[in-house]
Amino acid sequence: MEYDAIWFGGGAAGRFGAAFHKALGGKPLIVEMCHLGGQCHQNRCAFENFIYDQASMADLLRLYSGKSWYPKFNLKNISMAKACKTYRDVGQKAFSEVMTYQTTKQLNIEVVWGEGRIIDKNTVEVDEKKYYGKALVIGTGSRPIIPNIPGTDLRGVMTYIDHPEIRKDPKRLVVIGGGKIGIGKAAMFRPFGVDVTVLEKYTCLPKWDKDVREFIFRNLALRKVKIHEGVEVKEIRGKGRVKSVVAEVNGRKKIFPCDAVMLSIGLTPNSEIVKPLGVKIGDNNEIVVNEKMETSVPGIYAVGDAAGPPYFMAIARKRGMVAAKNIFGMESKMDYTFVPEHIYTPPLEATYVGLTEEEARKQYKNVVVIKLPVGERPKNVRPEKFIPGYPGNALPVCGRMHTLNLLYYGKNINGMLKAIIDADSRRYLGFHHVGDGAKVSFQYLSHLLKIGWTVDQMTELNEVFLNAEHFIQLTRLIGGYKELIDLC
Ligand code: COM
C-alpha cells in the first residue's frame, strides 16, 4: 500500500495537512492512535473554550444575581467538576465523532487506526501491516513539562491533560507557572469558587503590553487570585494526596496549603519517535525544521507542536498545509510574523497582535496610541445609578453580548483596548484588546498589519455597531488629522 505521504499523527497538523494534500491531488494516509483532532478537543483548545464559557457564565451569574430585574441565582450549583463531566460525556465524544466524520467521510481521507511503528522513512507498521509513503510527516504533538521536584506524582497534582478528569471540585488550587496556560487556568478556576494562587519563577505573561498585563492582573487581584512572581517551587507535599506546595519567596521558605496543583511550566515536543531516523532534534526537544517544515532528513517533515513553538492549534494547522504544499512540489514557507496571542480570563478574554506600546516606542520615533476606557471609573458601580463626572462610565469596550451589561454591572472590569500607530507612516503597529469576542477580528487585523494597513484605510471601512472592538470608530475620530493625535 503506497501513499504520497504518511501523516504520522492525526492531530490538527496531520489532519489539515492530509486534507490539503488530498485536495491538491495527493494520496495521503493518516496514522492515528486514538482521536483525530488530537489534544485540542480532549483537553486543550476546544476544552478551554468550553470551560471559558462555563467560567464566564458562573462569573456573570454572580455579578448579575438579584440586580435590576435579574432573579437571584442559585450559586451553589456552580461546579468545575460538573462542567468537566459535561465535557467528558458530551464534548469529547461529539468532537471526536465530527473529526472522524469530516476526515473519513466528507474528505474521504484514509485513516489507519492504531499505534504506528516507524520502520524507516518510507515505512510505517500498524498492527503488523506495513504502509509505504514517499514522504513521512511527523505530527506527534507535545506534552506538558513536569518539573523535577518531589511530589509531582501525588493525587491532586494535574496538568492540562488531567483537567477534564476532575471529579471533585478543588477548594484550593496552586498553579505552578504563570504563562499563558497557567494564568488561563487560574482565571478559569476562580469563578468556580476555587481559591487560586499562582507561583511563577520569573514574570507572568512577560511579552504582553504593560496596560493589558496590568488590566489582567488587576482583574485577577479583584477576584482574589494571588500571584507571586520570582518564586522558586521546591517541593509538592502530601501523603498520597497533595497537601501543600513549598516554595522560596524572596529567599524565604513559604508553604502554600492546597488540595490541587496545576503544573503549567511549559510544553515539550513529542520528538523521541524520530530519533532512530537520524533526524536533528533541537535543545528543547523539538524536531528541527526549516520554513518548509522539512527536517534534516530529506523526505521527512515535522508539523504541529512536534516542530516546537509557537504551540498553537492554528499554527499546527498551517504547518500541516505548508508541508502538504511542499510535498506536492508547490513551494510554501511558514511565516510567523503577526501571529495573534490570546488568553482566556473569564468573563473576558485578552488578545493582541503586533507590537506592544513599549516595543513600538523603542523602534519608532512618533508613536500614537488609541485607548479605551478613559480616565477614572467610579468605585462601586451600580447599574441603576448614574454617577456623573466619570467619562469612562459610558464608553463600552467589552464586546459581544455583554458589552453594556458589564459596563454597568461589571465592577470596573469592562475590558480595554489599545491600538498602536506609527504617526509618520500612519501605519498600525499593534492591536490589543481585553473583552469578549474580539479575538475573531484579530485574525483579520493580523493580515492588515502584515500588509501595512494605515489609519486612512481604516477610516474607509464599514463598521457594524456595537462591535466587539472599536478600532474603526475610534480611528475615524482622529483620522482627519495631518499630524495624528493620541486618543487616550
Ligand atoms: C479541532 C482539532 S478540535 S482540528 O484542528 O480541527 O483537527
Side-chain angles (χ1 to χ4, degrees):
M1 277 187 235
E2 185 156 326
Y3 297 86
D4 290 330
I6 297 181
W7 297 78
F8 196 84
R15 224 169 69 77
F16 276 76
F20 216 88
H21 188 199
K22 174 124 200 296
L24 291 174
K27 191 178 173 214
L29 172 75
I30 296 178
V31 174
E32 172 54 43
M33 222 156 49
C34 34
H35 323 277
L36 290 170
Q39 286 187 324
C40 169
H41 58 82
Q42 290 300 299
N43 40 41
R44 270 169 89 173
C45 342
F47 171 66
E48 300 251 300
N49 257 275
F50 175 77
I51 294 295
Y52 166 69
D53 281 349
Q54 298 265 318
S56 296
M57 194 48 82
D59 235 351
L60 296 174
L61 290 181
R62 209 172 267 124
L63 278 174
Y64 298 166
S65 184
K67 303 238 180 77
S68 182
W69 61 267
Y70 291 102
K72 280 224 179 243
F73 299 113
N74 181 359
L75 303 173
K76 286 204 188 93
N77 278 348
I78 293 175
S79 159
M80 173 65 90
K82 281 187 197 151
C84 289
K85 178 168 174 13
T86 306
Y87 194 78
R88 280 195 312 272
D89 290 351
V90 185
Q92 288 178 337
K93 290 176 183 143
F95 264 108
S96 222
E97 229 173 77
V98 83
M99 297 290 123
T100 304
Y101 182 80
Q102 195 178 60
T103 313
T104 59
K105 296 275 183 310
Q106 286 184 300
L107 298 168
N108 207 13
I109 295 169
E110 255 187 85
V111 178
V112 52
W113 295 95
E115 193 166 347
R117 195 162 70 84
I118 300 175
I119 300 201
D120 59 42
K121 66 178 197 160
N122 299 106
T123 321
V124 171
E125 189 183 88
V126 185
D127 282 338
E128 294 176 16
K129 205 161 157 192
K130 289 198 174 73
Y131 300 85
Y132 301 97
K134 292 182 196 137
L136 177 64
V137 193
I138 308 297
T140 41
S142 62
R143 60 182 185 274
I145 297 175
I146 306 298
N148 194 11
I149 50 169
T152 55
D153 53 350
L154 288 168
R155 278 202 318 281
V157 179
M158 315 173 258
T159 66
Y160 70 81
I161 292 185
D162 316 298
H163 184 167
E165 301 305 320
I166 288 181
R167 303 295 205 265
K168 194 170 166 249
D169 283 296
K171 289 195 166 49
R172 270 183 169 181
L173 171 74
V174 171
V175 177
I176 301 180
K180 192 169 132 167
I181 301 178
I183 294 297
K185 292 292 184 196
M188 281 193 234
F189 273 85
R190 184 63 196 132
F192 289 97
V194 182
D195 177 275
V196 182
T197 302
V198 179
L199 305 178
E200 163 58 42
K201 192 168 183 184
Y202 306 105
T203 308
C204 297
L205 303 180
K207 289 191 300 183
W208 288 67
D209 184 272
K210 194 167 151 281
D211 283 335
V212 180
R213 288 185 76 244
E214 273 174 20
F215 184 96
I216 294 174
F217 293 119
R218 210 173 41 239
N219 190 357
L220 289 174
L222 198 77
R223 283 139 197 279
K224 302 195 168 47
V225 172
K226 287 143 280 188
I227 301 200
H228 301 268
E229 295 181 319
V231 172
E232 180 93 39
V233 175
K234 298 286 186 197
E235 187 185 348
I236 304 172
R237 281 188 188 162
K239 280 202 180 115
R241 201 178 168 86
V242 58
K243 280 252 158 48
S244 64
V245 173
V246 184
E248 204 174 283
V249 188
N250 299 326
R252 283 221 176 120
K253 191 169 112 180
K254 207 167 167 249
I255 296 175
F256 297 90
C258 59
D259 60 353
V261 169
M262 175 65 70
L263 301 173
S264 55
I265 60 165
L267 302 177
T268 188
N270 296 324
S271 57
E272 291 75 9
I273 198 152
V274 291
K275 279 183 188 155
L277 297 173
V279 167
K280 190 167 171 206
I281 305 292
D283 293 342
N284 297 313
N285 219 25
E286 78 280 14
I287 304 177
V288 176
V289 288
N290 61 16
E291 296 156 303
K292 294 160 79 177
M293 307 317 294
E294 294 166 331
T295 67
S296 59
V297 175
I300 304 184
Y301 296 73
V303 292
D305 286 8
Y311 298 116
F312 292 153
M313 180 187 63
I315 292 286
R317 288 172 168 175
K318 219 167 152 188
R319 282 176 169 172
M321 178 184 77
V322 166
K325 286 185 179 174
N326 286 307
I327 291 167
F328 204 72
M330 293 163 67
E331 187 167 292
S332 173
K333 290 183 176 172
M334 270 309 284
D335 173 4
Y336 297 100
T337 49
F338 304 117
V339 175
E341 275 280 353
H342 175 259
I343 182 173
Y344 289 120
T345 51
L348 309 178
E349 54 189 15
T351 320
Y352 83 88
V353 64
L355 299 185
T356 63
E357 184 178 343
E358 303 91 86
E359 288 167 340
R361 292 203 186 278
K362 277 193 202 132
Q363 294 174 37
Y364 295 85
K365 248 190 9 254
N366 288 319
V367 171
V368 157
V369 174
I370 292 176
K371 208 153 85 172
L372 261 188
V374 288
E376 290 273 302
R377 307 261 345 261
K379 284 233 162 17
N380 298 309
V381 184
R382 286 194 15 225
E384 299 87 356
K385 196 165 180 261
F386 170 68
I387 308 171
Y390 289 98
N393 198 22
L395 290 171
V397 292
C398 178
R400 218 163 63 166
M401 67 185 275
H402 292 285
T403 302
L404 288 170
N405 249 1
L406 271 182
L407 183 62
Y408 301 118
Y409 293 88
K411 296 198 178 148
N412 292 330
I413 51 160
N414 186 46
M416 59 160 292
L417 64 88
K418 195 167 170 182
I420 322 280
I421 301 160
D422 168 30
D424 294 332
S425 64
R426 301 173 77 82
R427 286 182 171 183
Y428 291 91
L429 302 171
F431 295 103
H432 304 259
H433 186 268
V434 187
D436 172 37
K439 71 171 177 198
V440 175
S441 65
F442 279 73
Q443 303 171 114
Y444 309 104
L445 290 170
S446 127
H447 179 70
L448 297 185
L449 285 183
K450 197 185 263 175
I451 61 172
W453 197 246
T454 66
V455 161
D456 308 297
Q457 288 169 309
M458 189 71 109
T459 61
E460 294 299 328
L461 295 189
N462 299 320
E463 87 213 61
V464 182
F465 187 78
L466 278 172
N467 47 35
E469 33 73 24
H470 306 281
F471 294 129
I472 304 172
Q473 72 169 68
L474 295 175
T475 298
R476 200 169 280 141
L477 290 172
I478 61 162
Y481 283 102
K482 204 158 162 257
E483 303 284 333
L484 288 175
I485 60 163
D486 285 311
L487 193 65
C488 290

